[in-house]
Amino acid sequence: MLPVEFKNNMINLIGEDEYLLLERSYSDDNVRALRLNTLKKIPDDAADLVSLFSLEKMSRHETGYYFGSDVFPGRSPFHDAGAYYIQDPGAMIPAGLLIESRHFAPEKKMKILDLCASPGGKSTQIADAMKGEGLLVCNEINRSRAEVLSQNIERMGITNAIVTNESPSKLAEYFEGYFDAVIVDAPCSGEGMFRKDPGAVSEWSPENVEICIERQRQILDEAYKMLRPGGVLVYSTCTFERGENEDTVAAFLSAHPDMKTEDTSFFKDKAEGLSDGLAGMTDTVRVWPMHFRGEGQFAALMVKEGDGEGGISLKGYEMPSVIKDKKILESFLKDNLKEDAAGKIRASEKRFRLFGDNLYIMPENAPGLSGLKVLRNGLHLGTFKKDRFEPSHAFALSLEESDVRCFVRISEDAAEEYVHGMTLEGEGSGWCLVTACGYSIGWGKASGGRIKNHYPKGLRIQ
């Protein structure tokens, strides 16, 4: 049952005829979709995921596909391998708006902030388009949600991302005028998710809407501080409430006269179901589930006047770590990686950072982070343990079969056993990359015809 206040608000907003269409759409099954991960190179003879899951190509997103209610890609080992990200089509709109805009230029090694990033749909979509270039900072204020975000960044094999667990105001102290682009998918009243998430209905109230409006405006003000002159800001919600959408954008523009909305017709003209915003804000994007194959969404693209490079974060400046155990690392690289892959690691030595015994490769031109709560400092290579180097799960997910001296390719069924923690059979010696039909899924330690399972215990399916 939809709240009476919500019904009355919607009728006042879009009229009774449109509201009845909206209400009827809640009786339909929610739309299921995923994005293929192009950061994972698909081996020539890998499993055909399109056929396996009966995927239907989207017209809106080049790597987006619909799937039916009779298949469960989230339970597949290909999901654990990061071959795709399950995401609602409407939720692909905000990052897509940034990626397809004239401001997105990964070849310039952009610095991008996803300020409210969990669980990681927009971050992973942006990272896919960045192709490992530049810096992506993914932030989430809630600790448990930040951990989920970090796991998804790892699963998708992303190497140029830092995951932080801070308030927007704390980040703004460090990154004033720093980023080329900021995306704010703000916490909202969730009206666009009523069909997909019935729990959102019970949590809705006029009072919660007002709380969301105040929070959204505060977050936008902090995002503004971190945007360089000439930078671009994407604001989005998954709600219909005008106060959280067009009115919040209008209030933000009024408070910051150097910010302007940008025409989004280049984006809306490419697919059916994307409409103009309300209240005369035709530059913004509205997604209504009765007219679009997906859930509700709102998005605005705004540009800051001026031009200039992003500032250097001096508050968190830190010197590079000194790696005392280079011989141990070199021994691991020589024994387990092919020369090209090992050479790329060696070439990144200036970006090595030690956090305790854990070795990371920071993204290129990454700022100092001392004083911030950081969950992931770029690519976690592994851990120094006494006289050996133990590679990380994240490192495995960033590699391909062609990068390593030893790999074992297993079937989908065997991969399901592997993520449960089962030991495998296979020839070889030392660290061995385990791949599910060609997609890297983790490490094993080969010896005597058997491969000891090194899939992280915390990720194993019980």
Side-chain angles (χ1 to χ4, degrees), residues 388-434:
R388 72 186 193 278
F389 182 77
E390 187 168 300
S392 74
H393 184 60
F395 189 22
L397 294 178
S398 72
L399 296 171
E400 301 171 4
E401 291 176 339
S402 60
D403 293 324
V404 296
R405 298 193 182 280
C406 176
F407 70 86
V408 56
R409 180 182 288 200
I410 58 180
S411 67
E412 183 182 2
D413 290 341
E416 289 184 1
E417 294 182 356
Y418 170 77
V419 299
H420 280 80
M422 301 296 290
T423 299
L424 304 172
E425 294 184 1
E427 297 301 321
S429 176
W431 289 103
C432 186
L433 190 68
V434 180

Side-chain angles (χ1 to χ4, degrees), residues 31-34 56-66 87-89 92 293:
V31 178
R32 295 169 173 84
L34 56 79
E56 177 190 348
K57 185 77 172 66
M58 286 184 190
S59 61
R60 169 69 268 171
H61 299 283
E62 187 174 342
T63 60
Y65 291 82
Y66 301 105
Q87 187 178 22
D88 174 76
M92 299 179 192
R293 199 172 171 187

Side-chain angles (χ1 to χ4, degrees), residues 118-226:
S118 185
K122 295 168 184 65
S123 287
T124 57
Q125 187 178 352
I126 293 168
D128 197 333
M130 292 176 79
K131 303 301 180 190
E133 299 291 342
L135 169 69
L136 175 63
V137 177
C138 314
N139 181 70
E140 173 56 47
I141 191 172
N142 180 280
R143 176 72 185 196
S144 61
R145 287 173 56 83
E147 290 172 352
V148 172
L149 167 65
S150 185
Q151 289 171 5
N152 280 323
I153 293 294
E154 176 181 281
R155 180 172 64 86
M156 302 297 278
I158 296 167
T159 62
N160 64 326
I162 292 170
V163 178
T164 57
N165 171 217
E166 288 290 358
S167 67
S169 60
K170 181 66 175 291
L171 283 184
E173 293 178 11
Y174 280 70
F175 296 114
E176 183 175 357
Y178 185 82
F179 292 101
D180 301 301
V182 178
I183 185 165
V184 177
D185 185 45
C188 68
S189 58
E191 296 169 352
M193 295 290 109
F194 281 1
R195 176 172 59 183
K196 182 178 180 180
D197 180 15
V201 179
S202 61
E203 295 173 2
W204 187 93
S205 71
E207 293 77 18
N208 188 45
V209 169
E210 292 303 317
I211 291 172
C212 288
I213 291 172
E214 179 61 26
R215 182 186 299 129
Q216 290 153 2
R217 297 185 182 189
Q218 291 174 356
I219 293 173
L220 275 175
D221 284 340
E222 300 301 338
Y224 169 83
K225 297 175 186 176
M226 292 183 275

